[in-house]
Amino acid sequence: MNRSSKHTPFVSALLALTILLVWPLHAFSEMFSDEDLQNAVDKAYEAFKDVKEGANADYIPILATVPSELFGVVIATKDGKIFSAGDIDYRFSIQSVSKPFTAALIMAQQGPEAIREKIGVEPTGMPFNSKIALEMYEQRSVNPMVNAGAIAAVSLVQADSEEQRWNLVNENIEGFAGEKLSVLEEVYNSEYETAWSNRAIANLLYNYERLYADPEESLRVYTRQCSIGVNTKNLGIMGATLANAGVNPITGKRMLPAEHVPELLAIMASAGFYDESGEWMFNAGLPSKTGVGGGIVSVVPGQFAIAAFSPRLNGPGNSIRAMRAIRQIAGELGVGLYGPNPAN
Ligand code: DON
């Protein structure tokens, strides 16, 4: 007692000095000038604009016709500033980048327990459309980032009709983007006409009582959700809303209670890249979501989102140039969640 009180003034002074010295460094390390952010975007765009590896998705026939050369890179900050390079206004289908946002809708409506209990939060380590994962794991849908879990999430939305289910899903995604969006009807038709694999998944889930609405209705609404047209800036703002603790920086609207943002980001970190999630977190260290349309969004919590778009994909279905650009920016700015990863 005596000993500790004797040392208290010294310890307090040391603490104050440490805070005085370290706090400005800490604060500075989290702040980037507009020039820093624009330079990082420009550098990543230049570094990867000529990469031609990979191929457009073609299991949804119309995606094969999207011009492969397109490439856009964006940083969107939590106060709504945009730094960009390349084809950032081109509208492409959001595809699986929509999945965390519908999971957010379920969390906001029904709490995170609904996700944990009725879908799951484990990574599968398997491809996004795996039927094997559905048979192997007792939870069936496993997590809301893979197709099974995302179709289950759509089925969980509390609605009295298909129209209402769609409106809730669509308005939620528009709320994250901060503007009206529209479905790319050609993409919807192309995907729905060939959706045999997802139809099998929806029916299997229904069979195992892990789908909470009519299978064909859930499939239709899920397919429409994936066909929403977005540009790279839209993806940036959607990510920036998560970086801003759930509040859209453009509209000021709260889209997700702040306490659920870390839970959603954790699912994105462990499963956002499917069977490549471990590799991605090892390399870039940022919670992210990819889509077969070529979009990727990554979140630097409390700071900004990095979004990129390029149609050519690798084997697991992730955009090669978008991955490289985001990974490069994360390294350049040293914003990996677990500490700065050096740039490529
Ligand atoms: O359900 C599908 O197969 C597509 N609508 C979405 C898949 C997807 O984007 C996978 N992501 N890389």
Side-chain angles (χ1 to χ4, degrees):
M1 170 77 183
N2 275 345
R3 275 173 76 92
S4 65
S5 56
K6 195 170 145 200
H7 286 285
T8 296
F10 173 70
V11 171
S12 307
L14 199 65
L15 203 66
L17 193 66
T18 310
I19 289 170
L20 270 173
L21 286 174
V22 171
W23 176 250
L25 287 177
H26 171 76
F28 184 74
S29 74
E30 290 199 346
M31 307 241 300
F32 299 99
S33 68
D34 291 1
E35 201 187 355
D36 292 335
L37 298 179
Q38 186 59 52
N39 283 343
V41 167
D42 289 340
K43 201 168 158 186
Y45 179 80
E46 278 305 312
F48 304 112
K49 70 177 177 3
D50 298 322
V51 170
K52 299 209 186 309
E53 288 162 50
N56 286 34
D58 60 3
Y59 75 98
I60 299 170
I62 200 153
L63 295 186
T65 68
V66 176
S68 305
E69 289 311 317
L70 292 165
F71 182 35
V73 184
V74 161
I75 287 180
T77 65
K78 69 169 190 169
D79 41 13
K81 284 189 195 164
I82 300 276
F83 303 92
S84 64
D87 305 305
I88 52 150
D89 293 314
Y90 184 88
R91 285 174 72 232
F92 53 94
S93 55
I94 188 169
Q95 300 295 346
S96 293
V97 186
S98 61
K99 291 169 176 173
F101 301 98
T102 297
L105 173 63
I106 303 300
M107 284 182 171
Q109 265 190 347
Q110 302 163 45
E113 283 311 308
I115 296 281
R116 199 209 303 264
E117 284 166 17
K118 297 188 169 163
I119 299 176
V121 294
E122 290 302 329
T124 66
M126 289 189 200
F128 62 85
N129 53 2
S130 176
K131 269 75 72 189
I132 294 176
L134 202 152
E135 290 296 336
M136 269 177 61
Y137 296 105
E138 211 177 319
Q139 287 194 303
R140 309 294 178 184
S141 42
V142 197
N143 72 66
M145 302 298 123
V146 293
N147 289 10
I151 298 170
V154 164
S155 80
L156 258 181
V157 173
Q158 286 159 343
D160 298 327
S161 65
E162 180 166 345
E163 191 187 354
Q164 192 189 14
R165 185 179 307 285
W166 162 247
N167 286 340
L168 288 169
V169 165
N170 187 42
E171 281 160 17
N172 175 64
I173 290 181
E174 289 180 336
F176 272 99
E179 64 177 67
K180 283 270 169 217
L181 300 171
S182 57
V183 167
L184 302 174
E185 293 293 342
E186 283 189 318
V187 175
Y188 173 75
N189 291 331
S190 180
E191 179 161 356
Y192 187 62
E193 279 162 14
T194 55
W196 304 109
S197 173
N198 282 340
R199 185 170 288 110
I201 288 173
N203 282 304
L204 280 171
L205 288 176
Y206 194 71
N207 176 59
Y208 290 123
E209 299 181 351
R210 297 288 288 175
L211 198 75
Y212 310 99
D214 174 74
E216 200 61 29
E217 174 181 330
S218 307
L219 177 68
R220 271 194 298 270
V221 175
Y222 164 79
T223 308
R224 277 193 94 67
Q225 169 188 302
C226 291
S227 307
I228 292 174
V230 286
N231 60 33
T232 317
K233 276 191 289 190
N234 295 142
L235 287 192
I237 294 296
M238 292 172 79
T241 302
L242 295 177
N244 193 32
V247 174
N248 184 303
I250 305 292
T251 63
K253 186 173 174 196
R254 173 161 294 287
M255 297 305 301
L256 181 64
E259 66 266 31
H260 300 326
V261 172
E263 292 157 338
L264 184 65
L265 294 177
I267 305 174
M268 290 168 71
S270 59
F273 266 75
Y274 316 111
D275 42 336
E276 206 173 19
S277 298
E279 176 87 15
W280 175 253
M281 288 309 285
F282 183 90
N283 282 331
L286 290 179
S288 306
K289 190 70 205 79
T290 74
V292 288
I296 303 183
V297 66
S298 297
V299 180
V300 182
Q303 296 194 65
F304 53 80
I306 315 168
F309 158 65
S310 174
R312 291 198 195 98
L313 312 179
N314 66 4
N318 302 319
S319 166
I320 292 179
R321 283 194 294 190
M323 277 171 76
R324 293 199 186 153
I326 293 174
R327 197 265 168 264
Q328 152 90 31
I329 292 172
E332 177 85 15
L333 299 175
V335 290
L337 232 54
Y338 308 113
N341 299 22
N344 289 327

